[in-house]
PDB file of all heavy atoms in Angstrom:
ATOM      1  N   GLU A  35     291.569 136.505 100.576  1.00  0.00           N
ATOM      2  CA  GLU A  35     292.725 135.621 100.738  1.00  0.00           C
ATOM      3  C   GLU A  35     292.549 134.601 101.863  1.00  0.00           C
ATOM      4  O   GLU A  35     293.337 133.664 101.977  1.00  0.00           O
ATOM      5  CB  GLU A  35     293.984 136.456 101.010  1.00  0.00           C
ATOM      6  CG  GLU A  35     294.384 137.364  99.845  1.00  0.00           C
ATOM      7  CD  GLU A  35     295.647 138.136 100.141  1.00  0.00           C
ATOM      8  OE1 GLU A  35     296.064 138.163 101.320  1.00  0.00           O
ATOM      9  OE2 GLU A  35     296.220 138.711  99.206  1.00  0.00           O
ATOM     10  N   SER A  36     291.546 134.761 102.679  1.00  0.00           N
ATOM     11  CA  SER A  36     291.329 133.847 103.806  1.00  0.00           C
ATOM     12  C   SER A  36     290.438 132.686 103.355  1.00  0.00           C
ATOM     13  O   SER A  36     289.258 132.884 103.064  1.00  0.00           O
ATOM     14  CB  SER A  36     290.664 134.588 104.974  1.00  0.00           C
ATOM     15  OG  SER A  36     291.532 135.544 105.525  1.00  0.00           O
ATOM     16  N   ARG A  37     291.015 131.485 103.316  1.00  0.00           N
ATOM     17  CA  ARG A  37     290.282 130.317 102.818  1.00  0.00           C
ATOM     18  C   ARG A  37     290.010 129.327 103.939  1.00  0.00           C
ATOM     19  O   ARG A  37     290.942 128.772 104.527  1.00  0.00           O
ATOM     20  CB  ARG A  37     291.073 129.615 101.713  1.00  0.00           C
ATOM     21  CG  ARG A  37     290.348 128.403 101.106  1.00  0.00           C
ATOM     22  CD  ARG A  37     291.109 127.850  99.924  1.00  0.00           C
ATOM     23  NE  ARG A  37     292.342 127.201 100.326  1.00  0.00           N
ATOM     24  CZ  ARG A  37     292.444 125.897 100.620  1.00  0.00           C
ATOM     25  NH1 ARG A  37     291.367 125.124 100.561  1.00  0.00           N
ATOM     26  NH2 ARG A  37     293.598 125.381 100.959  1.00  0.00           N
ATOM     27  N   PRO A  38     288.747 129.076 104.249  1.00  0.00           N
ATOM     28  CA  PRO A  38     288.432 128.030 105.222  1.00  0.00           C
ATOM     29  C   PRO A  38     288.720 126.655 104.617  1.00  0.00           C
ATOM     30  O   PRO A  38     288.347 126.392 103.474  1.00  0.00           O
ATOM     31  CB  PRO A  38     286.933 128.200 105.484  1.00  0.00           C
ATOM     32  CG  PRO A  38     286.560 129.508 104.866  1.00  0.00           C
ATOM     33  CD  PRO A  38     287.535 129.755 103.767  1.00  0.00           C
ATOM     34  N   SER A  39     289.365 125.801 105.376  1.00  0.00           N
ATOM     35  CA  SER A  39     289.594 124.430 104.918  1.00  0.00           C
ATOM     36  C   SER A  39     290.101 123.620 106.103  1.00  0.00           C
ATOM     37  O   SER A  39     290.680 124.178 107.046  1.00  0.00           O
ATOM     38  CB  SER A  39     290.614 124.381 103.778  1.00  0.00           C
ATOM     39  OG  SER A  39     291.933 124.545 104.273  1.00  0.00           O
ATOM     40  N   PRO A  40     289.914 122.299 106.070  1.00  0.00           N
ATOM     41  CA  PRO A  40     290.449 121.470 107.159  1.00  0.00           C
ATOM     42  C   PRO A  40     291.954 121.614 107.321  1.00  0.00           C
ATOM     43  O   PRO A  40     292.458 121.690 108.457  1.00  0.00           O
ATOM     44  CB  PRO A  40     290.061 120.049 106.721  1.00  0.00           C
ATOM     45  CG  PRO A  40     288.835 120.242 105.881  1.00  0.00           C
ATOM     46  CD  PRO A  40     289.072 121.529 105.139  1.00  0.00           C
ATOM     47  N   ALA A  41     292.684 121.644 106.203  1.00  0.00           N
ATOM     48  CA  ALA A  41     294.134 121.761 106.307  1.00  0.00           C
ATOM     49  C   ALA A  41     294.551 123.115 106.869  1.00  0.00           C
ATOM     50  O   ALA A  41     295.466 123.209 107.702  1.00  0.00           O
ATOM     51  CB  ALA A  41     294.780 121.539 104.940  1.00  0.00           C
ATOM     52  N   ASN A  42     293.889 124.186 106.428  1.00  0.00           N
ATOM     53  CA  ASN A  42     294.230 125.514 106.944  1.00  0.00           C
ATOM     54  C   ASN A  42     293.888 125.645 108.420  1.00  0.00           C
ATOM     55  O   ASN A  42     294.610 126.309 109.176  1.00  0.00           O
ATOM     56  CB  ASN A  42     293.509 126.594 106.136  1.00  0.00           C
ATOM     57  CG  ASN A  42     294.200 126.876 104.818  1.00  0.00           C
ATOM     58  OD1 ASN A  42     295.290 126.382 104.552  1.00  0.00           O
ATOM     59  ND2 ASN A  42     293.559 127.656 103.972  1.00  0.00           N
ATOM     60  N   GLN A  43     292.781 125.048 108.849  1.00  0.00           N
ATOM     61  CA  GLN A  43     292.454 125.095 110.268  1.00  0.00           C
ATOM     62  C   GLN A  43     293.510 124.366 111.088  1.00  0.00           C
ATOM     63  O   GLN A  43     293.989 124.884 112.105  1.00  0.00           O
ATOM     64  CB  GLN A  43     291.087 124.468 110.534  1.00  0.00           C
ATOM     65  CG  GLN A  43     290.685 124.560 112.004  1.00  0.00           C
ATOM     66  CD  GLN A  43     289.395 123.836 112.324  1.00  0.00           C
ATOM     67  OE1 GLN A  43     289.190 122.691 111.919  1.00  0.00           O
ATOM     68  NE2 GLN A  43     288.505 124.503 113.050  1.00  0.00           N
ATOM     69  N   ALA A  44     293.873 123.169 110.649  1.00  0.00           N
ATOM     70  CA  ALA A  44     294.893 122.410 111.367  1.00  0.00           C
ATOM     71  C   ALA A  44     296.211 123.176 111.407  1.00  0.00           C
ATOM     72  O   ALA A  44     296.877 123.254 112.454  1.00  0.00           O
ATOM     73  CB  ALA A  44     295.094 121.056 110.702  1.00  0.00           C
ATOM     74  N   ARG A  45     296.578 123.759 110.280  1.00  0.00           N
ATOM     75  CA  ARG A  45     297.840 124.503 110.219  1.00  0.00           C
ATOM     76  C   ARG A  45     297.822 125.690 111.164  1.00  0.00           C
ATOM     77  O   ARG A  45     298.795 125.919 111.904  1.00  0.00           O
ATOM     78  CB  ARG A  45     298.094 124.964 108.785  1.00  0.00           C
ATOM     79  CG  ARG A  45     299.348 125.798 108.639  1.00  0.00           C
ATOM     80  CD  ARG A  45     299.575 126.227 107.206  1.00  0.00           C
ATOM     81  NE  ARG A  45     300.735 127.102 107.104  1.00  0.00           N
ATOM     82  CZ  ARG A  45     301.149 127.665 105.975  1.00  0.00           C
ATOM     83  NH1 ARG A  45     300.506 127.425 104.849  1.00  0.00           N
ATOM     84  NH2 ARG A  45     302.203 128.461 105.978  1.00  0.00           N
ATOM     85  N   TYR A  46     296.729 126.434 111.142  1.00  0.00           N
ATOM     86  CA  TYR A  46     296.676 127.623 112.002  1.00  0.00           C
ATOM     87  C   TYR A  46     296.758 127.237 113.476  1.00  0.00           C
ATOM     88  O   TYR A  46     297.546 127.814 114.230  1.00  0.00           O
ATOM     89  CB  TYR A  46     295.397 128.416 111.747  1.00  0.00           C
ATOM     90  CG  TYR A  46     295.338 129.678 112.572  1.00  0.00           C
ATOM     91  CD1 TYR A  46     295.936 130.852 112.122  1.00  0.00           C
ATOM     92  CD2 TYR A  46     294.732 129.700 113.831  1.00  0.00           C
ATOM     93  CE1 TYR A  46     295.923 132.009 112.887  1.00  0.00           C
ATOM     94  CE2 TYR A  46     294.724 130.842 114.605  1.00  0.00           C
ATOM     95  CZ  TYR A  46     295.312 131.998 114.124  1.00  0.00           C
ATOM     96  OH  TYR A  46     295.306 133.133 114.896  1.00  0.00           O
ATOM     97  N   ILE A  47     295.947 126.267 113.889  1.00  0.00           N
ATOM     98  CA  ILE A  47     295.928 125.893 115.306  1.00  0.00           C
ATOM     99  C   ILE A  47     297.285 125.373 115.738  1.00  0.00           C
ATOM    100  O   ILE A  47     297.833 125.788 116.779  1.00  0.00           O
ATOM    101  CB  ILE A  47     294.833 124.842 115.563  1.00  0.00           C
ATOM    102  CG1 ILE A  47     293.440 125.429 115.300  1.00  0.00           C
ATOM    103  CG2 ILE A  47     294.938 124.303 116.999  1.00  0.00           C
ATOM    104  CD1 ILE A  47     293.051 126.548 116.220  1.00  0.00           C
ATOM    105  N   ARG A  48     297.852 124.480 114.969  1.00  0.00           N
ATOM    106  CA  ARG A  48     299.122 123.865 115.360  1.00  0.00           C
ATOM    107  C   ARG A  48     300.259 124.886 115.400  1.00  0.00           C
ATOM    108  O   ARG A  48     301.058 124.912 116.344  1.00  0.00           O
ATOM    109  CB  ARG A  48     299.436 122.713 114.402  1.00  0.00           C
ATOM    110  CG  ARG A  48     298.591 121.480 114.712  1.00  0.00           C
ATOM    111  CD  ARG A  48     298.468 120.493 113.569  1.00  0.00           C
ATOM    112  NE  ARG A  48     299.738 120.004 113.058  1.00  0.00           N
ATOM    113  CZ  ARG A  48     299.842 118.959 112.246  1.00  0.00           C
ATOM    114  NH1 ARG A  48     298.749 118.291 111.878  1.00  0.00           N
ATOM    115  NH2 ARG A  48     301.021 118.570 111.800  1.00  0.00           N
ATOM    116  N   GLU A  49     300.316 125.751 114.395  1.00  0.00           N
ATOM    117  CA  GLU A  49     301.401 126.731 114.361  1.00  0.00           C
ATOM    118  C   GLU A  49     301.179 127.857 115.363  1.00  0.00           C
ATOM    119  O   GLU A  49     302.144 128.368 115.950  1.00  0.00           O
ATOM    120  CB  GLU A  49     301.554 127.257 112.937  1.00  0.00           C
ATOM    121  CG  GLU A  49     302.021 126.172 111.968  1.00  0.00           C
ATOM    122  CD  GLU A  49     302.237 126.671 110.555  1.00  0.00           C
ATOM    123  OE1 GLU A  49     301.991 127.882 110.296  1.00  0.00           O
ATOM    124  OE2 GLU A  49     302.646 125.857 109.700  1.00  0.00           O
ATOM    125  N   PHE A  50     299.924 128.233 115.582  1.00  0.00           N
ATOM    126  CA  PHE A  50     299.667 129.262 116.590  1.00  0.00           C
ATOM    127  C   PHE A  50     300.036 128.766 117.974  1.00  0.00           C
ATOM    128  O   PHE A  50     300.697 129.490 118.752  1.00  0.00           O
ATOM    129  CB  PHE A  50     298.200 129.686 116.591  1.00  0.00           C
ATOM    130  CG  PHE A  50     297.848 130.540 117.782  1.00  0.00           C
ATOM    131  CD1 PHE A  50     298.130 131.901 117.796  1.00  0.00           C
ATOM    132  CD2 PHE A  50     297.294 129.972 118.932  1.00  0.00           C
ATOM    133  CE1 PHE A  50     297.852 132.682 118.915  1.00  0.00           C
ATOM    134  CE2 PHE A  50     297.017 130.751 120.053  1.00  0.00           C
ATOM    135  CZ  PHE A  50     297.293 132.101 120.041  1.00  0.00           C
ATOM    136  N   VAL A  51     299.603 127.566 118.326  1.00  0.00           N
ATOM    137  CA  VAL A  51     299.896 127.042 119.671  1.00  0.00           C
ATOM    138  C   VAL A  51     301.400 126.921 119.875  1.00  0.00           C
ATOM    139  O   VAL A  51     301.921 127.261 120.947  1.00  0.00           O
ATOM    140  CB  VAL A  51     299.189 125.687 119.876  1.00  0.00           C
ATOM    141  CG1 VAL A  51     299.652 125.031 121.181  1.00  0.00           C
ATOM    142  CG2 VAL A  51     297.677 125.874 119.896  1.00  0.00           C
ATOM    143  N   HIS A  52     302.102 126.453 118.850  1.00  0.00           N
ATOM    144  CA  HIS A  52     303.566 126.378 118.966  1.00  0.00           C
ATOM    145  C   HIS A  52     304.159 127.758 119.233  1.00  0.00           C
ATOM    146  O   HIS A  52     305.005 127.931 120.125  1.00  0.00           O
ATOM    147  CB  HIS A  52     304.150 125.797 117.678  1.00  0.00           C
ATOM    148  CG  HIS A  52     305.642 125.863 117.613  1.00  0.00           C
ATOM    149  ND1 HIS A  52     306.472 125.038 118.343  1.00  0.00           N
ATOM    150  CD2 HIS A  52     306.468 126.687 116.906  1.00  0.00           C
ATOM    151  CE1 HIS A  52     307.735 125.337 118.089  1.00  0.00           C
ATOM    152  NE2 HIS A  52     307.757 126.326 117.219  1.00  0.00           N
ATOM    153  N   GLN A  53     303.708 128.756 118.466  1.00  0.00           N
ATOM    154  CA  GLN A  53     304.225 130.114 118.648  1.00  0.00           C
ATOM    155  C   GLN A  53     303.836 130.680 120.004  1.00  0.00           C
ATOM    156  O   GLN A  53     304.656 131.318 120.682  1.00  0.00           O
ATOM    157  CB  GLN A  53     303.689 131.012 117.530  1.00  0.00           C
ATOM    158  CG  GLN A  53     304.120 132.471 117.643  1.00  0.00           C
ATOM    159  CD  GLN A  53     303.745 133.283 116.427  1.00  0.00           C
ATOM    160  OE1 GLN A  53     304.481 133.323 115.451  1.00  0.00           O
ATOM    161  NE2 GLN A  53     302.587 133.940 116.465  1.00  0.00           N
ATOM    162  N   ALA A  54     302.600 130.449 120.426  1.00  0.00           N
ATOM    163  CA  ALA A  54     302.125 130.989 121.705  1.00  0.00           C
ATOM    164  C   ALA A  54     302.896 130.406 122.877  1.00  0.00           C
ATOM    165  O   ALA A  54     303.294 131.133 123.802  1.00  0.00           O
ATOM    166  CB  ALA A  54     300.635 130.710 121.865  1.00  0.00           C
ATOM    167  N   HIS A  55     303.135 129.101 122.850  1.00  0.00           N
ATOM    168  CA  HIS A  55     303.881 128.476 123.937  1.00  0.00           C
ATOM    169  C   HIS A  55     305.338 128.923 123.911  1.00  0.00           C
ATOM    170  O   HIS A  55     305.958 129.111 124.965  1.00  0.00           O
ATOM    171  CB  HIS A  55     303.771 126.958 123.829  1.00  0.00           C
ATOM    172  CG  HIS A  55     302.418 126.436 124.222  1.00  0.00           C
ATOM    173  ND1 HIS A  55     302.232 125.264 124.908  1.00  0.00           N
ATOM    174  CD2 HIS A  55     301.171 126.932 124.029  1.00  0.00           C
ATOM    175  CE1 HIS A  55     300.939 125.061 125.121  1.00  0.00           C
ATOM    176  NE2 HIS A  55     300.279 126.072 124.580  1.00  0.00           N
ATOM    177  N   ASP A  56     305.874 129.084 122.707  1.00  0.00           N
ATOM    178  CA  ASP A  56     307.272 129.504 122.585  1.00  0.00           C
ATOM    179  C   ASP A  56     307.465 130.930 123.086  1.00  0.00           C
ATOM    180  O   ASP A  56     308.505 131.261 123.683  1.00  0.00           O
ATOM    181  CB  ASP A  56     307.703 129.389 121.127  1.00  0.00           C
ATOM    182  CG  ASP A  56     309.188 129.611 120.933  1.00  0.00           C
ATOM    183  OD1 ASP A  56     309.968 128.922 121.616  1.00  0.00           O
ATOM    184  OD2 ASP A  56     309.571 130.475 120.108  1.00  0.00           O
ATOM    185  N   ARG A  57     306.446 131.796 122.877  1.00  0.00           N
ATOM    186  CA  ARG A  57     306.565 133.202 123.263  1.00  0.00           C
ATOM    187  C   ARG A  57     305.935 133.511 124.611  1.00  0.00           C
ATOM    188  O   ARG A  57     305.975 134.646 125.062  1.00  0.00           O
ATOM    189  CB  ARG A  57     305.906 134.091 122.194  1.00  0.00           C
ATOM    190  CG  ARG A  57     306.538 133.971 120.819  1.00  0.00           C
ATOM    191  CD  ARG A  57     306.008 135.038 119.892  1.00  0.00           C
ATOM    192  NE  ARG A  57     306.568 134.934 118.553  1.00  0.00           N
ATOM    193  CZ  ARG A  57     306.673 135.934 117.700  1.00  0.00           C
ATOM    194  NH1 ARG A  57     306.253 137.149 118.074  1.00  0.00           N
ATOM    195  NH2 ARG A  57     307.177 135.765 116.493  1.00  0.00           N
ATOM    196  N   GLY A  58     305.320 132.507 125.217  1.00  0.00           N
ATOM    197  CA  GLY A  58     304.720 132.718 126.530  1.00  0.00           C
ATOM    198  C   GLY A  58     303.410 133.488 126.502  1.00  0.00           C
ATOM    199  O   GLY A  58     303.055 134.144 127.485  1.00  0.00           O
ATOM    200  N   TRP A  59     302.665 133.399 125.395  1.00  0.00           N
ATOM    201  CA  TRP A  59     301.378 134.087 125.320  1.00  0.00           C
ATOM    202  C   TRP A  59     300.321 133.322 126.103  1.00  0.00           C
ATOM    203  O   TRP A  59     300.320 132.085 126.139  1.00  0.00           O
ATOM    204  CB  TRP A  59     300.913 134.196 123.876  1.00  0.00           C
ATOM    205  CG  TRP A  59     301.748 135.073 122.999  1.00  0.00           C
ATOM    206  CD1 TRP A  59     302.707 135.958 123.377  1.00  0.00           C
ATOM    207  CD2 TRP A  59     301.697 135.124 121.563  1.00  0.00           C
ATOM    208  NE1 TRP A  59     303.252 136.578 122.294  1.00  0.00           N
ATOM    209  CE2 TRP A  59     302.654 136.085 121.161  1.00  0.00           C
ATOM    210  CE3 TRP A  59     300.954 134.482 120.602  1.00  0.00           C
ATOM    211  CZ2 TRP A  59     302.877 136.398 119.819  1.00  0.00           C
ATOM    212  CZ3 TRP A  59     301.160 134.783 119.264  1.00  0.00           C
ATOM    213  CH2 TRP A  59     302.111 135.733 118.881  1.00  0.00           C
ATOM    214  N   ASN A  60     299.409 134.046 126.679  1.00  0.00           N
ATOM    215  CA  ASN A  60     298.221 133.441 127.286  1.00  0.00           C
ATOM    216  C   ASN A  60     297.105 133.515 126.246  1.00  0.00           C
ATOM    217  O   ASN A  60     296.884 134.567 125.642  1.00  0.00           O
ATOM    218  CB  ASN A  60     297.827 134.201 128.551  1.00  0.00           C
ATOM    219  CG  ASN A  60     296.898 133.398 129.430  1.00  0.00           C
ATOM    220  OD1 ASN A  60     296.697 132.209 129.215  1.00  0.00           O
ATOM    221  ND2 ASN A  60     296.318 134.044 130.416  1.00  0.00           N
ATOM    222  N   TYR A  61     296.389 132.412 126.039  1.00  0.00           N
ATOM    223  CA  TYR A  61     295.439 132.394 124.924  1.00  0.00           C
ATOM    224  C   TYR A  61     294.252 131.484 125.216  1.00  0.00           C
ATOM    225  O   TYR A  61     294.288 130.617 126.097  1.00  0.00           O
ATOM    226  CB  TYR A  61     296.128 131.914 123.639  1.00  0.00           C
ATOM    227  CG  TYR A  61     296.563 130.468 123.688  1.00  0.00           C
ATOM    228  CD1 TYR A  61     295.682 129.434 123.374  1.00  0.00           C
ATOM    229  CD2 TYR A  61     297.863 130.128 124.072  1.00  0.00           C
ATOM    230  CE1 TYR A  61     296.065 128.119 123.431  1.00  0.00           C
ATOM    231  CE2 TYR A  61     298.260 128.817 124.138  1.00  0.00           C
ATOM    232  CZ  TYR A  61     297.361 127.802 123.816  1.00  0.00           C
ATOM    233  OH  TYR A  61     297.748 126.484 123.897  1.00  0.00           O
ATOM    234  N   ASN A  62     293.216 131.695 124.421  1.00  0.00           N
ATOM    235  CA  ASN A  62     292.043 130.836 124.381  1.00  0.00           C
ATOM    236  C   ASN A  62     291.665 130.651 122.919  1.00  0.00           C
ATOM    237  O   ASN A  62     291.508 131.622 122.178  1.00  0.00           O
ATOM    238  CB  ASN A  62     290.873 131.479 125.141  1.00  0.00           C
ATOM    239  CG  ASN A  62     289.568 130.717 124.938  1.00  0.00           C
ATOM    240  OD1 ASN A  62     289.354 129.675 125.526  1.00  0.00           O
ATOM    241  ND2 ASN A  62     288.691 131.243 124.082  1.00  0.00           N
ATOM    242  N   LEU A  63     291.538 129.395 122.489  1.00  0.00           N
ATOM    243  CA  LEU A  63     291.196 129.104 121.101  1.00  0.00           C
ATOM    244  C   LEU A  63     289.684 129.067 120.915  1.00  0.00           C
ATOM    245  O   LEU A  63     288.956 128.590 121.780  1.00  0.00           O
ATOM    246  CB  LEU A  63     291.777 127.744 120.689  1.00  0.00           C
ATOM    247  CG  LEU A  63     293.296 127.620 120.682  1.00  0.00           C
ATOM    248  CD1 LEU A  63     293.707 126.174 120.433  1.00  0.00           C
ATOM    249  CD2 LEU A  63     293.911 128.532 119.637  1.00  0.00           C
TER     250      LEU A  63
END
């Protein structure tokens, strides 16, 4: 079910960073 693609990469990074900042997570991409 995991599909590499430019759109999926952009979606994951953008939505993860939004969630991480909203929840106060410390992260490294």
Side-chain angles (χ1 to χ4, degrees):
E35 296 182 347
S36 293
R37 182 174 70 91
S39 77
N42 281 352
Q43 183 185 47
R45 177 180 176 182
Y46 182 86
I47 295 296
R48 284 160 56 167
E49 294 182 358
F50 169 81
V51 171
H52 172 74
Q53 178 172 274
H55 287 217
D56 188 54
R57 299 190 181 205
W59 293 347
N60 197 11
Y61 67 85
N62 171 77
L63 296 173

